[in-house]
Amino acid sequence: MILNSFKYLLVAIFIGITSIKAQSQQPNIIIFFTDDQGFGDLGCYGAKGFETPNADNLASEGIRFTNFYVPATVCTPSRAGILTGRYPKRSGLHEAVLFPFSENGLPLQEYTMAELLKDAGYETWCVGKWHLGHKEEFMPNNQGFDDFFGVPYSNDMDNYYYARSDFQAPPLPLYRNKVLVEHGPNQEFLTTRYTEESIHKIKNRDPNKPFLLYLAHNMPHVPLHVSPKFKGKSTLGLYGDVIMELDWSIGEIVNTLKAEGIYDNTIFILTSDNGPDLGSAGPLRGKKAQTWEGGQRVPGIVVWPKKIPKNEECKEPLSTLDLFPTLARFAGAHIPDNLILDGKDVGALWLNPKTEKLKARPFFYYARNGGLEAVRYGKWKLHIKKSMGWDQIKLGDFELALYNLENDISELNNVAEKHPGLVKKLKSLINEHAI
């Protein structure tokens, strides 16, 4: 009897140790998500007028993607996409953005990345801008995040009067979990406060659990704000100062990971929610709110020192939709069998960027009004209509346009007439894409 009890105890201890060991092998995950930062707004992507040494060093530690996309041209739908691995239309958040008077948000039946990783044993933290519903039922604590510190929507909505709706927004609310802790915080210090909060969470984490940190900075969304220590630092003015402070934030978090001895087993993902408003899209055509490349192709850096090779540039097309299934793979998380995902597991590419090639697949571009305007397949991109970024008075009605993005990154040479068969094929992809 005593012997059997002892055997059961040994088995329980073994199972517990095995579980802890398995969790210790799971990588920590940080998604550093900026707001309206363009493809050309980092030094390693050709930025001028300011320096981003921490982002550039991060790129040298892993993979810098040059065909990295978000599934929307503006804030809310892009955030829905990164957290669900699904085109925003599936969650009904594909049109425009949510406002302080909006009654809806990310539906609770959506299975978020935070819920996925929490079910796999992760601590889950959201710091910064949420913008997926400010009503309590839609806030981060009800969407899989253990802790939240930040604001529920964009910083330009602070105390804003919406004349069409006759609605006066309140001062920008700052929350800690479900508790409103401050009205109209001084935005000069938001980047600093989010960084300090993130560092605090990392230092005070449960040592027996891996963590997800979703750090969604408000900047460089207008109105621009920067702390006094970075004011006047760049030769590009306030915008450059703001980017330099975001770069400082990257450095502070990386330094903390190293000091805690967990940098090597942390996946650090740096990207933006859409193209620039005030910043640079580099050689790309268009900007935020447009389905030209400048509106949806963004910086994309992925680092995992323990697994991913250093100093790689990868031209394979992928998007934030791919993060959900890829991170699930590396975290050992189970994706429900009935969950429809639009992203693909690209983990093999992350581990072997020199040799691994992705099978060609369509990527669809949804406009700010929710309409489907373009598709990319391989090196080809077909535009079928244009709601923004086209001057109809000067240029007339928009005509169907086909571009070879491999040798025409700026989308200047419409070759639709030369490739009627290809146009037909790409149009059929759009017609078959029914959500």
Side-chain angles (χ1 to χ4, degrees):
M1 183 83 171
I2 295 175
L3 182 60
N4 284 339
S5 298
F6 181 68
K7 288 167 67 176
Y8 289 135
L9 178 61
L10 286 177
V11 170
I13 292 173
F14 175 77
I15 292 173
I17 291 174
T18 302
S19 176
I20 291 173
K21 185 177 180 181
Q23 288 182 340
S24 70
Q25 297 304 308
Q26 293 171 293
N28 303 304
I29 297 167
I30 295 177
I31 298 176
F32 192 100
F33 206 40
T34 56
D35 197 336
D36 293 0
Q37 186 170 10
F39 182 79
D41 280 338
L42 289 175
C44 55
Y45 284 87
K48 305 294 182 183
F50 54 84
E51 298 176 348
T52 57
N54 293 302
D56 298 347
N57 185 64
L58 200 67
S60 73
E61 293 279 301
I63 308 173
R64 180 175 66 91
F65 292 96
T66 56
N67 284 275
F68 194 82
Y69 292 88
V70 288
T73 67
V74 288
C75 303
T76 294
S78 182
R79 289 156 204 275
I82 196 172
L83 289 180
T84 65
R86 292 151 54 87
Y87 281 108
K89 189 171 183 180
R90 294 193 188 277
S91 56
L93 293 177
H94 57 300
E95 296 181 26
V97 300
L98 295 176
F99 296 95
F101 54 80
S102 298
E103 295 294 325
N104 60 319
L106 184 67
L108 295 183
Q109 61 264 33
E110 288 289 337
Y111 189 56
T112 70
M113 182 189 295
E115 291 169 315
L116 171 84
L117 294 174
K118 188 173 182 178
D119 288 345
Y122 277 66
E123 287 188 277
T124 55
W125 315 318
C126 177
V127 177
K129 174 182 169 180
W130 177 239
H131 215 170
L132 289 172
H134 69 281
K135 297 292 185 180
E136 182 178 329
E137 64 182 294
F138 302 116
M139 290 283 274
N141 294 105
N142 291 327
Q143 302 277 13
F145 287 100
D146 297 321
D147 288 292
F148 170 57
F149 177 76
V151 297
Y153 37 70
S154 293
N155 60 324
D156 63 330
M157 298 176 177
D158 180 16
N159 210 30
Y160 188 83
Y161 176 66
Y162 295 86
R164 288 186 179 181
S165 304
D166 189 24
F167 181 85
Q168 175 63 57
L172 188 67
L174 180 70
Y175 283 86
R176 182 170 294 283
N177 295 318
K178 298 180 181 180
V179 179
L180 177 62
V181 295
E182 198 172 331
H183 293 275
N186 185 342
Q187 293 194 36
E188 288 185 1
F189 299 101
L190 281 183
T191 298
T192 297
R193 293 178 73 177
Y194 293 161
T195 304
E196 291 174 345
E197 178 71 16
S198 299
I199 290 171
H200 175 78
K201 289 189 183 303
I202 292 170
K203 288 183 175 180
N204 292 277
R205 69 192 184 281
D206 183 339
N208 296 317
K209 287 186 174 184
F211 64 80
L212 163 68
L213 168 61
Y214 173 61
L215 171 53
H217 278 290
N218 281 96
M219 299 297 144
H221 194 290
V222 295
L224 297 174
H225 292 278
V226 70
S227 66
K229 64 180 179 287
F230 282 94
K231 193 167 289 185
K233 286 286 186 179
S234 81
T235 60
L236 197 67
L238 182 57
Y239 189 85
D241 298 345
V242 167
I243 299 296
M244 289 183 71
E245 184 164 31
L246 289 169
D247 186 72
W248 163 85
S249 177
I250 294 169
E252 292 296 295
I253 292 170
V254 168
N255 289 340
T256 302
L257 295 173
K258 290 179 177 179
E260 294 290 307
I262 57 174
Y263 176 66
D264 285 351
N265 197 32
T266 297
I267 298 175
F268 195 119
I269 299 161
L270 168 61
T271 190
S272 173
D273 67 342
N274 48 248
D277 184 14
L278 297 179
S280 170
L284 306 179
R285 182 176 181 176
K287 55 184 286 189
K288 175 182 179 178
Q290 301 174 5
T291 53
W292 299 112
E293 288 293 282
Q296 291 186 245
R297 195 193 297 201
V298 294
I301 296 171
V302 178
V303 175
W304 186 9
K306 185 177 180 180
K307 296 280 189 179
I308 290 177
K310 291 185 177 183
N311 203 28
E312 295 286 344
E313 177 186 321
C314 184
K315 298 180 180 180
E316 291 290 311
L318 65 165
S319 78
T320 54
L321 298 177
D322 300 320
L323 296 180
F324 189 107
T326 305
L327 293 175
R329 167 187 177 169
F330 290 130
H334 173 68
I335 298 175
D337 295 335
N338 62 348
L339 182 62
I340 298 173
L341 293 177
D342 295 302
K344 302 295 182 184
D345 176 358
V346 294
L349 176 68
W350 286 14
L351 299 178
N352 301 286
K354 274 191 172 74
T355 58
E356 190 72 21
K357 299 296 179 184
L358 297 179
K359 183 180 178 181
R361 54 185 173 141
F363 177 78
F364 299 97
Y365 299 70
Y366 284 88
R368 189 182 188 280
N369 64 8
L372 180 52
E373 291 192 346
V375 61
R376 175 173 180 169
Y377 188 78
K379 65 183 180 181
W380 298 101
K381 181 178 178 183
L382 179 71
H383 296 258
I384 58 171
K385 56 184 174 181
K386 194 65 58 185
S387 57
M388 299 184 75
W390 183 262
D391 191 332
Q392 190 172 13
I393 296 176
K394 288 184 179 180
L395 302 174
D397 292 338
F398 181 79
E399 295 183 2
L400 194 105
L402 177 70
Y403 299 99
N404 180 344
L405 295 178
E406 196 170 89
N407 57 29
D408 183 20
I409 192 174
S410 301
E411 298 175 283
L412 298 177
N413 185 26
N414 181 3
V415 295
E417 291 185 0
K418 297 179 181 179
H419 301 279
L422 188 56
V423 168
K424 182 179 180 181
K425 177 181 178 180
L426 296 180
K427 285 179 71 175
S428 70
L429 289 178
I430 290 176
N431 294 332
E432 292 165 6
H433 181 66
I435 293 181

